[in-house]
Amino acid sequence: MAGKKLISWRAIVTWVVCLMVVFTCLGLAYWQFLRGQEKQLQLAEFSQPKPTTVHEFLTRLNNQEIEVMHGTKVALQGIFDKQDIWFLDNRIVNGNVGVDVLALFEVKGLKQLLLVNLGFIATQGRTNPQVLLPEKQETLNLVMKSRYLSQFSLTEQSFDARSNRLQFVDITFLSEQSGKEIYPAIFYQLPESPLIASPHYDPVVMSPEKHHAYALQWFLIAMAAAFIALKVRKMEVQHEA
């Protein structure tokens, strides 16, 4: 009788562990599936044409219609504010490690400055690249990102004053540090018009297909755990008999 009670408790522990694994994997599969759906939505927002004149674009920005302009491509003329340049750290492009160059762009007729990501520059160690912003007026082909601005980071501090590098983009912090009003959006220079760096913006870092593949992977692991649990239980029943 004691032996059967021991086996019974062993079976209970086995089932509990297996169920925890199954439900955890199913939860991860569902989360990856939702992330894939979210990335599909983000790509759709950027792929839908949003025709707009420069005048209409500037008017909407001045009216603070920021979010509705997410994904809009526009060519703007302006001059760079040469007082402030930041380097977004730990970027990897085509296997090279470096930084993205961020600068403020002043467009006539706009109330606030635009934060522009000019693209990637490879670096060696912690040495920042020498960046000389143009003094004359430039025309930049840009795409606007005003949603999904929060970024994952292992640190809560966005700025390293010693190297002038950012770990993530915090527009409120940059506005306070520079003492200038900045629109709550990031403008990425498009590859058609490189200036001093290599534009490489992609609306999503991981494709929807990859998220769905991970979802399938977690689902299969859940099914394997459930199968193992059933096999173990069958062996326990046979042993008890």
Side-chain angles (χ1 to χ4, degrees):
M1 183 72 69
K4 289 188 176 182
K5 188 176 292 186
L6 179 62
I7 293 172
S8 178
W9 275 108
R10 188 182 301 166
I12 292 173
V13 172
T14 301
W15 272 99
V16 169
V17 171
C18 288
L19 285 175
M20 288 176 60
V21 172
V22 169
F23 283 113
T24 299
C25 291
L26 287 177
L28 289 170
Y30 183 63
W31 176 71
Q32 285 290 349
F33 175 78
L34 291 180
R35 289 290 290 160
Q37 298 297 96
E38 181 183 328
K39 294 298 178 65
Q40 283 184 332
L41 177 61
Q42 292 181 31
L43 287 174
E45 288 176 329
F46 270 80
S47 62
Q48 291 173 355
K50 298 181 180 179
T52 180
T53 63
V54 172
H55 175 73
E56 180 187 357
F57 185 82
L58 300 183
T59 300
R60 287 196 162 195
L61 250 61
N62 282 328
N63 291 336
Q64 295 300 315
E65 299 177 36
I66 307 292
E67 284 210 10
V68 296
M69 302 304 287
H70 175 74
T72 301
K73 295 179 180 179
V74 64
L76 296 177
Q77 285 188 341
I79 58 174
F80 285 100
D81 185 324
K82 300 184 68 175
Q83 293 181 336
D84 296 289
I85 298 177
W86 299 280
F87 301 100
L88 187 57
D89 206 1
N90 300 320
R91 304 295 98 181
I92 300 177
V93 177
N94 297 326
N96 297 313
V97 179
V99 296
D100 277 0
V101 180
L102 303 177
L104 297 178
F105 195 59
E106 182 179 354
V107 177
K108 186 177 180 180
L110 284 183
K111 300 174 183 177
Q112 298 166 284
L113 297 176
L114 306 183
L115 179 65
V116 178
N117 185 317
L118 295 169
F120 172 82
I121 297 180
T123 59
Q124 296 292 332
R126 303 298 297 173
T127 302
N128 289 331
Q130 295 295 318
V131 174
L132 295 176
L133 295 173
E135 296 186 4
K136 61 183 180 65
Q137 181 172 273
E138 295 286 345
T139 298
L140 300 183
N141 292 314
L142 304 168
V143 60
M144 178 178 176
K145 181 179 180 181
S146 54
R147 298 180 192 166
Y148 319 111
L149 295 179
S150 60
Q151 301 177 25
F152 173 78
S153 177
L154 295 175
T155 176
E156 295 183 359
Q157 187 168 354
S158 66
F159 183 62
D160 182 353
R162 294 170 299 176
S163 61
N164 204 38
R165 293 194 180 193
L166 299 169
Q167 299 306 312
F168 55 90
V169 178
D170 183 340
I171 296 176
T172 301
F173 168 79
L174 296 180
S175 182
E176 292 174 352
Q177 193 208 38
S178 63
K180 294 156 188 163
E181 292 188 49
I182 305 173
Y183 279 99
I186 304 174
F187 293 80
Y188 291 85
Q189 191 170 17
L190 295 171
E192 298 83 15
S193 59
L195 192 63
I196 60 175
S198 301
H200 63 95
Y201 178 64
D202 192 338
V204 297
V205 177
M206 186 182 291
S207 68
E209 292 77 15
K210 187 168 287 189
H211 279 292
H212 290 155
Y214 282 133
L216 177 61
Q217 183 183 55
W218 283 116
F219 177 78
L220 292 176
I221 293 174
M223 293 301 98
F227 176 77
I228 292 172
L230 290 173
K231 292 291 288 184
V232 169
R233 179 54 185 159
K234 185 177 179 180
M235 293 173 61
E236 294 283 1
V237 170
Q238 290 174 349
H239 186 75
E240 289 175 3

